[in-house]
Protein backbone atom coordinates (compact mmCIF):
# COMPACT_ATOMS: atom_id res chain seq x y z
CA UNK A 1 0.00 0.00 0.00
CA UNK A 2 1.10 3.54 -0.58
CA UNK A 3 3.14 2.70 -3.64
CA UNK A 4 2.21 4.50 -6.79
CA UNK A 5 3.36 4.98 -10.35
CA UNK A 6 3.76 8.45 -11.71
CA UNK A 7 1.37 9.15 -14.56
CA UNK A 8 3.92 11.21 -16.44
CA UNK A 9 7.23 9.37 -16.22
CA UNK A 10 6.10 6.02 -14.78
CA UNK A 11 8.55 6.36 -11.91
CA UNK A 12 7.78 4.09 -8.95
CA UNK A 13 7.17 6.08 -5.77
CA UNK A 14 6.81 4.70 -2.28
CA UNK A 15 5.06 7.39 -0.22
CA UNK A 16 1.55 8.69 -0.72
CA UNK A 17 0.54 12.36 -0.88
CA UNK A 18 3.84 13.47 -2.32
CA UNK A 19 5.18 14.59 -5.65
CA UNK A 20 7.01 12.16 -7.91
CA UNK A 21 10.63 12.01 -6.93
CA UNK A 22 11.67 12.00 -10.58
CA UNK A 23 9.48 14.62 -12.35
CA UNK A 24 7.66 16.24 -9.37
CA UNK A 25 4.22 15.42 -10.76
CA UNK A 26 1.73 15.33 -7.84
CA UNK A 27 0.66 12.00 -6.44
CA UNK A 28 -2.81 10.70 -7.11
CA UNK A 29 -2.34 8.69 -10.23
CA UNK A 30 -3.01 5.43 -8.42
CA UNK A 31 -6.28 6.54 -6.87
CA UNK A 32 -7.44 8.11 -10.08
CA UNK A 33 -6.68 4.97 -11.98
CA UNK A 34 -8.63 2.75 -9.64
CA UNK A 35 -11.57 5.15 -9.58
CA UNK A 36 -11.60 5.26 -13.35
CA UNK A 37 -11.42 1.51 -13.56
CA UNK A 38 -14.37 1.22 -11.21
CA UNK A 39 -16.38 3.72 -13.21
CA UNK A 40 -15.84 1.96 -16.49
CA UNK A 41 -16.83 -1.27 -14.85
CA UNK A 42 -20.12 0.12 -13.57
CA UNK A 43 -20.81 1.69 -16.93
CA UNK A 44 -20.32 -1.69 -18.51
CA UNK A 45 -22.69 -3.26 -16.00
CA UNK A 46 -25.27 -0.59 -16.71
CA UNK A 47 -24.90 -1.12 -20.42
CA UNK A 48 -25.52 -4.82 -20.06
CA UNK A 49 -28.59 -4.10 -17.92
CA UNK A 50 -29.87 -1.73 -20.57
CA UNK A 51 -29.23 -4.28 -23.26
CA UNK A 52 -31.30 -6.76 -21.30
CA UNK A 53 -34.07 -4.19 -20.85
CA UNK A 54 -34.16 -3.51 -24.54
CA UNK A 55 -34.45 -7.19 -25.25
CA UNK A 56 -37.22 -7.55 -22.72
CA UNK A 57 -39.06 -4.53 -24.02
CA UNK A 58 -38.81 -5.85 -27.56
CA UNK A 59 -40.00 -9.24 -26.38
CA UNK A 60 -42.96 -7.71 -24.56
CA UNK A 61 -43.81 -5.50 -27.48
CA UNK A 62 -43.71 -8.38 -29.91
CA UNK A 63 -45.86 -10.47 -27.64
CA UNK A 64 -48.45 -7.79 -26.96
CA UNK A 65 -48.99 -6.56 -30.46
CA UNK A 66 -50.20 -9.96 -31.55
CA UNK A 67 -53.79 -10.10 -30.40
CA UNK A 68 -54.47 -7.01 -28.34
CA UNK A 69 -58.16 -6.16 -28.46
CA UNK A 70 -58.21 -3.36 -25.91
CA UNK A 71 -55.02 -1.40 -25.99
CA UNK A 72 -55.72 0.90 -23.08
CA UNK A 73 -55.80 -0.25 -19.50
CA UNK A 74 -59.32 -0.88 -18.28
CA UNK A 75 -59.07 1.43 -15.30
CA UNK A 76 -58.40 4.44 -17.43
CA UNK A 77 -62.03 4.72 -18.40
CA UNK A 78 -62.95 6.21 -15.06
CA UNK A 79 -60.55 9.06 -15.48
CA UNK A 80 -62.60 12.14 -14.83
CA UNK A 81 -61.25 15.24 -13.25
CA UNK A 82 -63.48 17.61 -11.46
CA UNK A 83 -62.83 20.58 -9.38
CA UNK A 84 -65.54 22.50 -7.63
CA UNK A 85 -64.56 25.45 -5.62
CA UNK A 86 -67.00 27.62 -3.76
CA UNK A 87 -66.36 30.54 -1.51
CA UNK A 88 -69.02 32.68 0.07
CA UNK A 89 -67.98 35.71 2.02
CA UNK A 90 -70.55 37.61 4.04
CA UNK A 91 -69.49 40.64 5.97
CA UNK A 92 -71.34 43.33 7.91
CA UNK A 93 -74.68 42.23 6.56
CA UNK A 94 -77.98 41.04 7.83
CA UNK A 95 -80.86 38.92 6.60
CA UNK A 96 -78.81 37.14 3.92
CA UNK A 97 -80.18 33.98 2.35
CA UNK A 98 -77.81 31.70 0.45
CA UNK A 99 -78.71 28.39 -1.19
CA UNK A 100 -76.09 26.18 -2.83
CA UNK A 101 -75.99 22.76 -4.48
CA UNK A 102 -74.78 19.78 -2.54
CA UNK A 103 -71.76 18.92 -4.69
CA UNK A 104 -70.67 15.89 -2.71
CA UNK A 105 -73.98 14.15 -3.24
CA UNK A 106 -73.83 14.94 -6.93
CA UNK A 107 -70.37 13.42 -7.33
CA UNK A 108 -71.36 10.21 -5.60
CA UNK A 109 -74.49 10.04 -7.70
CA UNK A 110 -72.34 10.34 -10.78
CA UNK A 111 -70.06 7.53 -9.65
CA UNK A 112 -73.13 5.43 -8.91
CA UNK A 113 -74.42 5.97 -12.44
CA UNK A 114 -71.08 5.05 -13.98
CA UNK A 115 -70.94 1.89 -11.95
CA UNK A 116 -74.49 1.00 -12.93
CA UNK A 117 -73.65 1.40 -16.63
CA UNK A 118 -70.56 -0.77 -16.25
CA UNK A 119 -72.62 -3.33 -14.34
CA UNK A 120 -75.39 -3.51 -16.92
CA UNK A 121 -72.83 -3.98 -19.69
CA UNK A 122 -70.90 -6.63 -17.85
CA UNK A 123 -74.04 -8.59 -16.95
CA UNK A 124 -75.55 -8.49 -20.42
CA UNK A 125 -72.40 -8.96 -22.50
CA UNK A 126 -70.52 -11.03 -19.99
CA UNK A 127 -67.10 -10.11 -18.65
CA UNK A 128 -65.61 -10.40 -22.12
CA UNK A 129 -63.23 -8.25 -24.09
CA UNK A 130 -66.22 -7.15 -26.11
CA UNK A 131 -68.00 -5.95 -22.99
CA UNK A 132 -64.92 -4.09 -21.85
CA UNK A 133 -64.53 -2.42 -25.21
CA UNK A 134 -68.14 -1.27 -25.17
CA UNK A 135 -67.88 0.07 -21.63
CA UNK A 136 -64.66 1.84 -22.45
CA UNK A 137 -66.11 3.51 -25.51
CA UNK A 138 -69.17 4.72 -23.67
CA UNK A 139 -67.14 6.21 -20.85
CA UNK A 140 -64.65 7.78 -23.21
CA UNK A 141 -67.38 10.14 -24.30
CA UNK A 142 -67.49 11.41 -20.75
CA UNK A 143 -63.77 11.65 -20.30
CA UNK A 144 -63.66 15.30 -19.51
CA UNK A 145 -62.17 17.83 -17.24
CA UNK A 146 -64.24 20.31 -15.35
CA UNK A 147 -63.36 23.22 -13.25
CA UNK A 148 -65.88 25.28 -11.43
CA UNK A 149 -65.05 28.28 -9.40
CA UNK A 150 -67.53 30.46 -7.61
CA UNK A 151 -66.80 33.44 -5.47
CA UNK A 152 -69.54 35.39 -3.77
CA UNK A 153 -68.85 38.48 -1.71
CA UNK A 154 -71.56 40.22 0.24
CA UNK A 155 -70.67 43.26 2.21
CA UNK A 156 -72.71 45.92 3.95
CA UNK A 157 -75.94 44.52 2.65
CA UNK A 158 -79.38 43.66 3.86
CA UNK A 159 -82.08 41.29 2.59
CA UNK A 160 -79.98 39.44 0.01
CA UNK A 161 -81.16 36.24 -1.64
CA UNK A 162 -78.66 34.10 -3.53
CA UNK A 163 -79.08 30.85 -5.46
CA UNK A 164 -76.18 28.90 -6.98
CA UNK A 165 -76.30 25.69 -9.00
CA UNK A 166 -73.48 23.49 -10.23
CA UNK A 167 -74.69 23.23 -13.81
CA UNK A 168 -71.79 21.10 -15.04
CA UNK A 169 -72.52 18.39 -12.56
CA UNK A 170 -76.24 18.23 -13.14
CA UNK A 171 -75.68 18.10 -16.91
CA UNK A 172 -73.22 15.26 -16.54
CA UNK A 173 -75.53 13.32 -14.29
CA UNK A 174 -78.48 13.72 -16.61
CA UNK A 175 -76.39 12.59 -19.57
CA UNK A 176 -75.17 9.50 -17.73
CA UNK A 177 -78.72 8.66 -16.72
CA UNK A 178 -79.84 9.00 -20.35
CA UNK A 179 -77.15 6.56 -21.47
CA UNK A 180 -78.08 4.11 -18.74
CA UNK A 181 -81.76 4.29 -19.64
CA UNK A 182 -81.04 3.79 -23.34
CA UNK A 183 -78.88 0.76 -22.60
CA UNK A 184 -81.50 -0.76 -20.36
CA UNK A 185 -84.21 -0.22 -22.93
CA UNK A 186 -82.01 -1.92 -25.54
CA UNK A 187 -81.70 -5.06 -23.49
CA UNK A 188 -85.46 -5.15 -22.90
CA UNK A 189 -85.41 -4.63 -19.18
CA UNK A 190 -87.63 -1.58 -19.06
CA UNK B 1 -79.96 26.94 -17.29
CA UNK B 2 -80.39 24.01 -14.97
CA UNK B 3 -84.15 24.20 -15.44
CA UNK B 4 -83.66 22.68 -18.87
CA UNK B 5 -85.16 19.21 -18.41
CA UNK B 6 -83.13 17.46 -21.14
CA UNK B 7 -79.36 17.80 -20.82
CA UNK B 8 -78.63 16.06 -24.10
CA UNK B 9 -81.23 15.34 -26.77
CA UNK B 10 -82.51 11.77 -26.65
CA UNK B 11 -81.51 11.09 -30.21
CA UNK B 12 -77.84 11.86 -29.55
CA UNK B 13 -77.66 9.38 -26.71
CA UNK B 14 -79.61 6.83 -28.69
CA UNK B 15 -77.28 7.13 -31.65
CA UNK B 16 -74.21 6.99 -29.45
CA UNK B 17 -75.27 3.78 -27.79
CA UNK B 18 -76.30 2.06 -31.01
CA UNK B 19 -73.13 3.16 -32.73
CA UNK B 20 -70.91 1.78 -29.98
CA UNK B 21 -72.84 -1.49 -29.93
CA UNK B 22 -72.71 -1.81 -33.70
CA UNK B 23 -69.03 -0.98 -33.88
CA UNK B 24 -68.18 -3.72 -31.41
CA UNK B 25 -70.38 -6.29 -33.17
CA UNK B 26 -72.62 -6.78 -30.19
CA UNK B 27 -75.44 -9.21 -30.79
CA UNK B 28 -78.23 -7.63 -28.79
CA UNK B 29 -80.39 -10.77 -28.88
CA UNK B 30 -77.70 -12.90 -27.29
CA UNK B 31 -77.16 -10.15 -24.73
CA UNK B 32 -80.87 -10.32 -23.92
CA UNK B 33 -80.73 -14.07 -23.50
CA UNK B 34 -77.83 -13.68 -21.06
CA UNK B 35 -80.20 -12.13 -18.55
CA UNK B 36 -82.55 -14.11 -16.40
CA UNK B 37 -85.66 -12.62 -14.82
CA UNK B 38 -83.98 -12.09 -11.50
CA UNK B 39 -81.17 -10.06 -13.05
CA UNK B 40 -83.64 -8.07 -15.10
CA UNK B 41 -85.57 -7.18 -11.99
CA UNK B 42 -82.39 -6.20 -10.14
CA UNK B 43 -81.30 -3.93 -12.98
CA UNK B 44 -84.76 -2.43 -13.21
CA UNK B 45 -84.83 -1.62 -9.50
CA UNK B 46 -81.33 -0.17 -9.67
CA UNK B 47 -82.14 2.05 -12.62
CA UNK B 48 -85.35 3.26 -11.11
CA UNK B 49 -83.66 4.16 -7.86
CA UNK B 50 -80.93 6.06 -9.65
CA UNK B 51 -83.52 7.83 -11.76
CA UNK B 52 -85.39 9.04 -8.68
CA UNK B 53 -82.12 10.22 -7.16
CA UNK B 54 -81.14 12.13 -10.29
CA UNK B 55 -84.59 13.66 -10.61
CA UNK B 56 -84.60 14.80 -7.02
CA UNK B 57 -81.08 16.20 -7.41
CA UNK B 58 -81.90 18.14 -10.55
CA UNK B 59 -85.16 19.51 -9.19
CA UNK B 60 -84.10 19.82 -5.60
CA UNK B 61 -84.76 22.86 -3.52
CA UNK B 62 -81.18 23.49 -2.40
CA UNK B 63 -80.29 23.34 1.27
CA UNK B 64 -80.78 26.59 3.02
CA UNK B 65 -78.14 28.32 5.02
CA UNK B 66 -78.55 31.50 6.89
Amino acid sequence: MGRWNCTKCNQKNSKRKMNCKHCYTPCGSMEEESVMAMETESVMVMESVMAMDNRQVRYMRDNNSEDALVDQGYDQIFLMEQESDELIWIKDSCNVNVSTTDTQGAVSLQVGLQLAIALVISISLGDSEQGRAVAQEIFQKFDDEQSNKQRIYIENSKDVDIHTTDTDLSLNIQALLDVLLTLVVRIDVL
Amino acid sequence: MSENPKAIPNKVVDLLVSEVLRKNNVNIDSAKSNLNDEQKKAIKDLVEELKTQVDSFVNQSPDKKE
Side-chain angles (χ1 to χ4, degrees):
Chain A
M1 291 292 284
R3 295 174 65 84
W4 54 285
N5 293 347
C6 177
T7 41
K8 208 167 173 185
C9 61
N10 221 11
Q11 165 74 40
K12 282 193 175 159
N13 295 285
S14 53
K15 287 182 184 169
R16 302 188 71 186
K17 309 266 178 194
M18 273 183 72
N19 293 352
C20 173
K21 59 186 176 188
H22 180 252
C23 65
Y24 298 104
T25 308
C27 153
S29 56
M30 195 178 77
E31 284 170 43
E32 276 174 18
E33 264 174 26
S34 66
V35 166
M36 274 177 66
M38 213 174 69
E39 275 176 0
T40 37
E41 202 177 315
S42 62
V43 166
M44 276 166 65
V45 169
M46 275 171 67
E47 272 172 359
S48 69
V49 166
M50 278 170 68
M52 197 180 73
D53 277 358
N54 278 341
R55 267 206 308 278
Q56 278 177 343
V57 166
R58 210 174 307 128
Y59 172 74
M60 282 165 68
R61 202 174 49 213
D62 289 348
N63 258 20
N64 280 354
S65 63
E66 284 297 310
D67 45 10
L69 281 176
V70 181
D71 287 328
Q72 262 173 300
Y74 186 49
D75 287 344
Q76 281 176 332
I77 59 163
F78 287 110
L79 188 70
M80 188 180 291
E81 269 184 57
Q82 280 190 340
E83 190 186 331
S84 278
D85 200 357
E86 208 169 25
L87 179 84
I88 300 170
W89 189 288
I90 302 172
K91 201 178 172 189
D92 301 333
S93 312
C94 74
N95 207 5
V96 176
N97 225 335
V98 179
S99 24
T100 63
T101 326
D102 179 11
T103 316
Q104 290 300 311
V107 171
S108 64
L109 198 52
Q110 182 178 318
V111 174
L113 282 164
Q114 286 178 336
L115 284 179
I117 292 176
L119 192 72
V120 167
I121 291 171
S122 87
I123 291 179
S124 52
L125 302 183
D127 191 18
S128 57
E129 292 296 345
Q130 193 188 44
R132 286 175 186 215
V134 171
Q136 172 150 346
E137 268 196 47
I138 284 183
F139 284 115
Q140 268 177 348
K141 316 289 179 194
F142 294 95
D143 192 6
D144 56 358
E145 211 173 304
Q146 292 184 339
S147 174
N148 235 15
K149 288 201 169 69
Q150 292 179 347
R151 298 268 187 284
I152 298 170
Y153 291 93
I154 302 170
E155 200 172 341
N156 266 331
S157 314
K158 186 176 173 269
D159 297 330
V160 179
D161 217 341
I162 289 183
H163 273 268
T164 69
T165 323
D166 197 337
T167 323
D168 292 349
L169 264 181
S170 38
L171 269 178
N172 222 336
I173 287 172
Q174 279 175 295
L176 279 171
L177 181 70
D178 282 349
V179 171
L180 180 62
L181 286 175
T182 315
L183 264 178
V184 168
V185 168
R186 282 295 157 86
I187 53 172
D188 269 357
V189 171
L190 277 184
Chain B
M1 286 185 289
S2 64
E3 271 71 32
N4 183 3
K6 269 288 161 213
I8 294 178
N10 253 343
K11 281 189 178 164
V12 176
V13 181
D14 211 43
L15 197 62
L16 181 140
V17 171
S18 29
E19 183 58 23
V20 170
L21 293 179
R22 188 195 59 80
K23 196 178 148 193
N24 288 285
N25 300 320
V26 173
N27 184 353
I28 206 77
D29 292 324
S30 77
K32 281 177 199 166
S33 61
N34 273 349
L35 296 165
N36 57 35
D37 287 348
E38 202 179 311
Q39 283 171 322
K40 277 191 182 178
K41 194 182 175 307
I43 292 178
K44 197 176 167 185
D45 291 349
L46 175 90
V47 170
E48 261 160 21
E49 197 186 324
L50 282 168
K51 195 172 181 305
T52 358
Q53 281 184 25
V54 170
D55 283 346
S56 71
F57 172 77
V58 174
N59 304 316
Q60 75 180 309
S61 53
D63 8 330
K64 301 257 172 182
K65 287 175 212 162
E66 225 166 305

